[in-house]
Amino acid sequence: MNDSARPAGQFGVESSEEPKETLLCGFASYGLSGLTALDFLIDQLELVETGHVSAEGMPSITPFENGTPTHHTRLFSRPDLELTLLKNELFVPPALSGPFGEEILSWTERHGVEEVVVVDAVPMQHGPDDHRTYYVATDDYRERRLADAGIEPMARGYLDGVTGALVEQGIASPLAVGVFRTPVHEQMPDVEAAIRLVDTVCELYGLDVDTEPLQSFADEIQRYYEELHERYEAAAERERAFDDRMYM
């Protein structure tokens, strides 16, 4: 199936299979713990690539694995699992977060996806007692998944970037949107933060995944994610400089 028809300079989703009822997303963001968690789930659940998101009119990256290039934003699933995972390694500037989120939500609506979930980490001052996962969720997601989950809401703050765009558009749509965030340390990747996110997803969706191998898994891909983190920070710095020039 090809959903790539779109105006120039926008985003498009191309997939070979129908997405499942839940779309689980990990984006290139601070600390990359959400992306680490998603990568680990893809590995442990033995998911296969089923599609990708293309971008036009913006700087891009082309990751590669074992000498083979891949798309920067890919979809993964398997027939017996009611989850499609979206792994995004492309920094999406704030100005394009809205169009990116709109394309993702438009695609989910066309294909009957019922809920979108984002796993993420947030840099914040915290003590050992704060080493837990918090949620920000639309009413329908909270009623469906969180009534008896024992996960605390995040007290106050802001969601920005693609995550903020998805939640904002989910508020006024029938699509349920949930975001799970955990405090992250400066080291990258923060394995403990990634484990908390994996545990949360496994508990809510009944996945049988052992997080013990996550430490060695993170060690194997640490340099890869360090380079991605550096690119993310450089892109964010260029975006801030561009905004500063706009207001001069």
Side-chain angles (χ1 to χ4, degrees):
M1 132 197 16
N2 189 324
D3 294 320
S4 60
R6 62 201 183 277
Q10 296 298 309
F11 303 91
V13 181
E14 300 179 20
S15 57
S16 59
E17 296 181 9
E18 291 283 340
K20 304 303 179 66
E21 65 179 28
T22 299
L23 180 68
L24 174 62
C25 306
F27 298 115
S29 62
Y30 189 92
L32 300 175
S33 293
L35 200 55
T36 303
L38 211 72
D39 220 351
F40 182 71
L41 286 171
I42 291 169
D43 179 77
Q44 293 296 299
L45 295 171
E46 298 181 339
L47 306 184
V48 298
E49 184 175 345
T50 58
H52 66 274
V53 179
S54 56
E56 294 184 0
M58 63 176 290
S60 184
I61 62 171
T62 302
F64 58 89
E65 298 176 7
N66 298 319
T68 301
T70 67
H71 294 285
H72 51 69
T73 305
R74 292 181 284 166
L75 299 162
F76 296 85
S77 67
R78 75 183 195 204
D80 61 334
L81 187 68
E82 275 305 322
L83 286 171
T84 295
L85 275 61
L86 186 151
K87 174 186 172 183
N88 167 249
E89 298 180 72
L90 174 69
F91 170 72
V92 180
L96 294 178
S97 295
F100 185 91
E102 288 171 4
E103 176 58 29
I104 297 300
L105 288 180
S106 176
W107 177 73
T108 60
E109 183 179 1
R110 291 195 300 271
H111 297 289
V113 175
E114 297 180 3
E115 56 187 33
V116 172
V117 182
V118 179
V119 289
D120 196 7
V122 55
M124 57 182 284
Q125 292 185 342
H126 63 281
D129 292 341
D130 296 318
H131 283 173
R132 64 184 73 181
T133 302
Y134 300 88
Y135 77 79
V136 179
T138 56
D139 291 342
D140 44 4
Y141 186 88
R142 187 170 62 251
E143 293 169 0
R144 176 184 300 175
R145 296 287 181 183
L146 301 175
D148 302 311
I151 303 173
E152 295 184 14
M154 183 159 274
R156 183 174 297 177
Y158 301 93
L159 296 171
D160 57 9
V162 177
T163 300
L166 287 172
V167 174
E168 180 182 15
Q169 295 169 47
I171 293 173
S173 78
L175 186 71
V177 182
V179 178
F180 296 103
R181 312 187 90 191
T182 190
V184 65
H185 292 287
E186 290 187 2
Q187 74 263 26
M188 204 290 301
D190 187 331
V191 176
E192 295 301 320
I195 288 175
R196 292 194 293 273
L197 294 172
V198 170
D199 284 341
T200 297
V201 171
C202 289
E203 178 184 351
L204 287 176
Y205 291 93
L207 304 178
D208 184 15
V209 173
D210 179 13
T211 57
E212 186 174 345
L214 183 52
Q215 178 68 62
S216 57
F217 178 84
D219 290 342
E220 290 178 6
I221 62 174
Q222 180 172 0
R223 184 55 199 160
Y224 175 78
Y225 276 141
E226 285 174 350
E227 292 176 357
L228 181 58
H229 183 74
E230 291 168 2
R231 290 179 179 273
Y232 169 77
E233 288 296 320
E237 183 62 33
R238 288 195 298 270
E239 182 72 15
R240 287 191 292 269
F242 176 75
D243 290 341
D244 291 342
R245 289 196 298 272
M246 286 181 62
Y247 293 103
M248 290 179 64

